């Protein structure tokens, strides 16, 4: 259930216009066709690796591609098969980048609800992807604070990510002769 729940969480947060979603749970063949011409595909699924439940693993899609075995049917054609099939079928129209995120599950019985730790990991990954794949965790140095007067305060890392064309001073402020006399003001 990690994949469909993840898609719902992204949907609830508001989807940027440049993102499309596909649930590849039982429609792996469809996913292969939907990848045509897409520059970056992100796959999210649960995994069972005996790691700590809620752990998030990031893996290159190429490492997980699996060619279909003989005797397969459409219901056993999973996303890992879709990646290999898509590479074969789409050739130069295959995505330049495929990133797979696997969330370690806690319970795998049919009908079980998500454990709180897996539920939290889904939210964490949804936020991470919507914020440009910047790592999101409790130790992160990226932050934005909205002040009561409406001004935004943000960490240096966040400012550099959101405003890459602005030259930043070593003190973290926008570079100018007012901020630090040693810094040349940006060219006009």
């Amino acid at each position: 259930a990690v994949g469909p729940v993840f898609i719902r969480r992204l949907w609830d947060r508001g989807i940027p216009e440049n993102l499309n979603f596909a649930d590849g749970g039982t429609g792996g063949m469809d996913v292969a066709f939907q990848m045509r011409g897409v520059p970056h595909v992100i796959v999210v699924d649960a995994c069972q690796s005996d790691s700590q439940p809620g752990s998030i693993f990031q893996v290159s899609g190429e490492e997980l591609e699996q060619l279909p075995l003989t005797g397969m049917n459409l219901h056993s054609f999973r996303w890992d098969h879709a990646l290999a099939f898509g590479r074969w079928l789409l050739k130069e129209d295959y995505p330049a980048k495929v990133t797979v995120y696997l969330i370690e599950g806690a319970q795998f019985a049919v009908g079980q609800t998500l454990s709180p730790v897996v539920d939290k990991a889904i939210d964490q990954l949804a936020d991470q992807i919507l914020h440009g794949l910047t790592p999101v965790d409790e130790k992160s140095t990226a932050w934005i604070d909205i002040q009561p007067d409406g001004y935004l305060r943000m960490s240096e890392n966040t400012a550099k990510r959101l405003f890459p064309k602005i030259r930043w001073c070593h003190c973290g402020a926008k570079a100018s002769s007012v901020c630090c006399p040693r810094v040349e003001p940006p060219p006009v």
Side-chain angles (χ1 to χ4, degrees):
V2 165
V5 170
F6 176 78
I7 288 173
R8 273 186 258 133
R9 299 281 169 83
L10 285 180
W11 190 266
D12 290 344
R13 285 167 168 75
I15 310 167
E17 289 182 24
N18 61 340
L19 285 182
N20 291 319
F21 300 122
D23 181 355
T26 57
M29 186 77 69
D30 293 335
V31 172
F33 289 104
Q34 291 183 45
M35 292 189 297
R36 181 185 305 275
V38 175
H40 185 188
V41 169
I42 296 172
V43 176
V44 177
D45 201 4
C47 69
Q48 193 171 12
S49 67
D50 294 328
S51 296
Q52 185 74 24
S55 298
I56 300 172
F57 304 97
Q58 179 180 339
V59 186
S60 163
E62 194 170 358
E63 292 181 50
L64 298 175
E65 290 177 11
Q66 248 186 41
L67 291 173
L69 306 171
T70 57
M72 286 190 93
N73 63 48
L74 289 177
H75 294 289
S76 62
F77 193 87
R78 300 181 319 254
W79 61 261
D80 48 345
H81 301 126
L83 295 179
F85 176 70
R87 183 178 297 282
W88 171 82
L89 176 73
L90 302 175
K91 305 210 181 345
E92 66 275 350
D93 286 335
Y94 187 76
K97 183 176 181 183
V98 177
T99 307
V100 178
Y101 291 97
L102 299 171
I103 299 176
E104 182 72 24
Q107 322 173 120
F108 290 92
V110 176
Q112 292 257 311
T113 59
L114 292 173
S115 69
V117 69
V118 172
D119 194 55
K120 181 180 177 185
I122 291 171
D123 280 333
Q124 179 181 345
L125 184 58
D127 289 339
Q128 180 177 333
I129 288 175
L130 284 177
H131 292 99
L133 301 176
T134 304
V136 176
D137 60 28
E138 285 75 27
K139 300 174 190 169
S140 177
T141 59
W143 56 270
I144 297 178
D145 184 32
I146 301 174
Q147 300 295 301
D149 58 5
Y151 284 96
L152 292 178
R153 290 184 57 235
M154 63 188 75
S155 68
E156 179 181 1
N157 291 342
T158 302
K160 286 179 179 178
R161 183 174 53 83
L162 294 175
F163 307 104
K165 293 185 178 183
I166 295 176
R167 288 187 14 186
W168 296 96
C169 180
H170 69 280
C171 72
K174 183 176 171 184
S176 72
S177 56
V178 175
C179 163
C180 296
R182 298 177 293 159
V183 176
E184 293 294 317
V188 181

